[in-house]
Amino acid sequence: MNSSNRRNFLKNVSMGTLAAVSIPNIVSAAVSAEKGKKLTLKKEGVILFQGDSITDVGRKRDAMDANNGAALGGGYPHLVAANLLLKRAGDNLKFYNKGISGNKVFQLADRWDADCLQLKPDVLSILVGVNDFWHTLNGNYKGTSKVYRDDFDKLLDRTKQALPDVQLIIGEPYAVKGVKAVDDKWYPTFNEYRAAARELADKYKAVFIPYQAIYDKALQTAPAAYWTPDGVHPSIAGAQLMAEAWLQCVK
C-alpha cells in the first residue's frame, strides 16, 4: 500500500470510527436533556412493550411465552431484550411485546386488560401516536390531537389505578420529514401529538424518550432514508438507534 492509499485508508477508518461513536453520544445527549431520569429494573421484573407497528415489527402473536424471539418481533423491543438478557443473565427478566400494527390509543384501550393489566408489568413502555395523526390524512379517522391526549390520559390513569407501582416509559411519536410518507402535510399539527406525549409523561412521572430529537440528530451521520425507509418505520439501524435510547433510560 503506497503512502497516498494508506492516508486515505486511515482517513476512512477514522471517519468510520467517529460516526460509530457519535450515535451513542447523540442518544446520550438527548436522553440526558430529559432531566436524566432512569428506571431501575428489578430482579424477576416483567417488562412490557406496547404500541403500533413501530413496536410490533412482525411479532408472532400466538407465541405467548416471555423472552420468545418470534414474539418479540424484529424491532427495538427485541434488541433491548437481547441486550439486557445477556448483560443481566442472573436477574430472570421477562420481556413481552404486545404492539399491534396500525393501532391508535383507543385500540390499545380496547385490548388493555388482556394485553397489559393481566401481565402485571413492572415496567411498561408505550410508543403510540403516529397513527392517531397519520390516519387522519386519508380521511379514515377523525381524531384530533385533543382526542389523542384525552384517550392516552385515560389509558394511563386506568393503568396506574390497576398497577400503582408500575414504572412507565413513554416514547415520543416521531416522523422524519422528506422520506416518502412524511411531508409538509404533517406539520405543524403532528407536533401537537408529540407535545401531548411529553405532557403526559410529566403528569404520570414517566421516563420520556425524545425519539424525534434523536432521529433529527442522527441525520448528521447518515441520510434520513438510512434510518427509516418511509419516514416512520425504522430500518435495522433505526431500530438499533431506538433500542440504544431505551437502554439509556434504565439501570
Side-chain angles (χ1 to χ4, degrees):
M1 181 182 295
N2 63 39
S3 59
S4 176
N5 288 341
R6 179 177 175 80
R7 282 195 300 271
N8 289 335
F9 172 79
L10 293 174
K11 179 180 178 181
N12 290 337
V13 169
S14 177
M15 290 177 66
T17 302
L18 177 62
V21 300
S22 67
I23 294 302
N25 290 342
I26 284 170
V27 172
S28 180
V31 170
S32 296
E34 300 299 325
K35 305 174 185 177
K37 184 177 179 181
K38 292 191 176 186
L39 300 184
T40 299
L41 298 180
K42 63 181 183 181
K43 288 188 176 182
E44 311 288 333
V46 174
I47 299 94
L48 171 62
F49 293 92
Q50 270 289 2
D52 51 37
S53 57
I54 298 170
T55 300
D56 182 339
V57 195
R59 70 179 178 87
K60 188 176 180 181
R61 295 179 191 171
D62 60 355
M64 306 301 291
D65 296 338
N67 305 336
N68 181 308
L72 286 168
Y76 74 94
H78 191 137
L79 296 170
V80 167
N83 182 290
L84 290 172
L85 289 171
L86 174 64
K87 291 182 177 178
R88 303 180 60 160
D91 287 353
N92 196 27
L93 299 174
K94 297 178 178 63
F95 291 88
Y96 295 91
N97 178 4
K98 296 295 182 178
I100 292 184
S101 180
N103 267 193
K104 296 175 274 292
V105 176
F106 78 87
Q107 291 163 315
L108 266 64
D110 288 345
R111 57 187 180 83
W112 209 237
D113 285 347
D115 283 357
C116 177
L117 303 184
Q118 290 179 17
L119 291 171
K120 295 181 168 61
D122 298 289
V123 173
L124 171 60
S125 175
I126 308 175
L127 172 58
V128 67
V130 68
N131 291 320
D132 296 75
F133 170 75
W134 195 358
H135 291 181
T136 67
L137 296 180
N138 59 18
N140 292 333
Y141 180 60
K142 303 299 183 182
T144 64
S145 60
K146 184 179 186 304
V147 170
Y148 166 73
R149 189 207 176 282
D150 291 347
D151 284 356
F152 205 173
D153 192 9
K154 291 175 185 176
L155 185 68
L156 292 169
D157 181 68
R158 173 181 167 191
T159 303
K160 291 297 284 186
Q161 291 290 335
L163 304 169
D165 295 326
V166 69
Q167 299 185 89
L168 296 171
I169 296 176
I170 293 178
E172 179 183 29
Y174 68 87
V176 181
K177 189 175 177 181
V179 187
K180 290 189 177 180
V182 182
D183 56 24
D184 288 338
K185 293 193 296 289
W186 284 60
Y187 302 97
T189 305
F190 181 64
N191 294 334
E192 297 172 7
Y193 293 74
R194 296 171 46 219
R198 181 183 291 274
E199 177 188 342
L200 291 171
D202 287 342
K203 178 177 179 178
Y204 289 93
K205 297 179 172 58
V207 169
F208 182 74
I209 305 181
Y211 283 127
Q212 187 68 60
I214 291 166
Y215 271 99
D216 289 347
K217 289 289 187 181
L219 300 183
Q220 298 174 8
T221 65
Y226 179 82
W227 302 108
T228 166
D230 64 0
V232 172
H233 299 95
S235 64
I236 295 174
Q240 182 62 50
L241 182 72
M242 295 176 70
E244 178 71 24
W246 200 100
L247 289 165
Q248 291 199 22
C249 291
V250 301
K251 59 183 178 179

